[in-house]
Amino acid sequence: MSNAPKKVAIVTGASRGIGAAITERLAGDGFAVVLNYAGSAAEAEALAGKIVQAGGRTITAQADVSDAAAVARIFDAAESAFGGVDVLVNNAGVMRLAAIADADDAAFDSQIAVNLKGTFNTLREAARRLRNGGRIVNLSSSQSGILSPTYGIYAATKAAVEALTHVLAKELRGRNITVNAVAPGPTATKLFLDGKSRELVDRLAKLAPLERLGQPEDIAAAVAFLAGPDGRWINGQVLRANGGII
Ligand code: NDP
């Protein structure tokens, strides 16, 4: 295809927050981007319209990442629209905080389904279908190191994401594909802000030596580095992007 873009990226959970910022950043960097979402169709279509307006190339792809067949369809859509896939950004995630003593089965099951099984589903598909020379970036969390009370299940899913990152980097030997994770600290999105008082948000914002919350664009910059030419020699690493909180 003569007008095929040079590189094609899939971003999961791209309808808002960090995933939306990553999508805009990669589109601005010249990637054709497949913008995945689960339920927020209006937000996803609005973001896609904004990217096209700015001269970028994108399509939306609805899929619950916890459903393996639906994940295969994201890759199908990318291949038929843009000819292949070079970059996977595994960003879709959910957070349900509760002390282990109080956590219900639904909190456990939903976080395992989206954060762990969802990441596994996309990694398996990418391992089979990414073009040589590609890049994979998984979203972990600095909570895999901070390990605060009430974050037990969430941190466990992100520790598992980091384990998958290290193993897949080794398994893709010979294909010139890097696999890394970015582990944000507190970042101003719905996932972080929902259910927290203003006082708590202010206190958490001051924990990092840089004394502010991360913005989605701060995380997108770290992902763009790993997905772009300057990240070529970084492989099997977890990059904590958190203002120095840990
Ligand atoms: P948001 O809640 O703001 O956005 C989450 C995105 O994921 C939405 O676009 C949502 O789309 C999508 N999503 C949720 N479930 C699914 C699913 N089953 N399949 C496909 N998409 C889904 O979260 P953030 O932007 O804050 O978080 C992005 C990532 O960064 C997550 O992995 C999170 O764990 C990680 N992170 C965030 C931190 C923070 O402080 N914000 C800190 C550390 C890590 P829809 O509405 O369509 O379902």
Side-chain angles (χ1 to χ4, degrees):
M1 230 168 37
S2 61
N3 67 340
K6 270 199 188 137
K7 298 280 181 193
V8 178
I10 291 172
V11 182
T12 68
S15 55
R16 64 166 179 271
I18 292 170
I22 292 168
T23 300
E24 276 202 83
R25 173 64 195 256
L26 293 183
D29 287 354
F31 290 87
V33 187
V34 177
L35 190 169
N36 159 255
Y37 66 96
S40 303
E43 288 89 336
E45 295 302 337
L47 178 59
K50 190 176 165 198
I51 288 169
V52 170
Q53 195 78 33
R57 297 186 73 183
T58 189
I59 57 165
T60 58
Q62 190 283 332
D64 178 342
V65 294
S66 68
D67 174 349
V71 164
R73 289 196 294 273
I74 306 175
F75 281 74
D76 294 344
E79 287 171 355
S80 59
F82 301 125
V85 184
D86 304 287
V87 173
L88 167 68
V89 181
N90 252 319
N91 167 81
V94 293
M95 185 172 76
R96 301 267 297 273
L97 300 182
I100 291 168
D102 305 325
D104 58 21
D105 288 354
F108 183 87
D109 292 343
S110 63
Q111 291 177 96
I112 292 289
V114 180
N115 301 0
L116 178 50
K117 180 81 184 334
T119 299
F120 167 74
N121 285 338
T122 52
L123 290 181
R124 180 171 56 185
E125 210 62 32
R128 294 171 178 169
R129 296 169 74 166
L130 225 62
R131 289 193 281 226
N132 288 356
R135 305 287 171 80
I136 297 174
V137 184
N138 297 319
L139 269 288
S140 178
S141 165
S142 292
Q143 274 297 339
S144 68
I146 301 169
L147 299 168
S148 304
T150 73
Y151 283 78
I153 301 165
Y154 178 75
T157 65
K158 295 302 191 177
V161 166
E162 293 184 10
L164 290 169
T165 301
H166 297 303
V167 171
L168 188 59
K170 294 172 184 166
E171 290 179 353
L172 294 182
R173 172 183 291 274
R175 289 174 55 192
N176 195 25
I177 295 174
T178 67
V179 188
N180 293 291
V182 168
T187 307
T189 69
K190 186 172 185 321
L191 176 141
F192 171 75
L193 296 168
D194 268 8
K196 293 189 175 75
S197 67
R198 180 65 189 266
E199 292 67 34
L200 180 58
V201 169
D202 288 346
R203 193 164 61 73
L204 295 174
K206 292 273 185 255
L207 287 180
L210 297 187
E211 294 192 306
R212 65 172 175 83
L213 288 182
Q215 294 300 318
E217 293 72 21
D218 296 321
I219 310 307
V223 172
F225 162 65
L226 292 171
D230 287 346
R232 62 188 174 274
W233 194 232
I234 318 293
N235 190 22
Q237 305 300 314
V238 178
L239 175 56
R240 288 178 173 162
N242 61 23
I245 199 169
I246 181 171

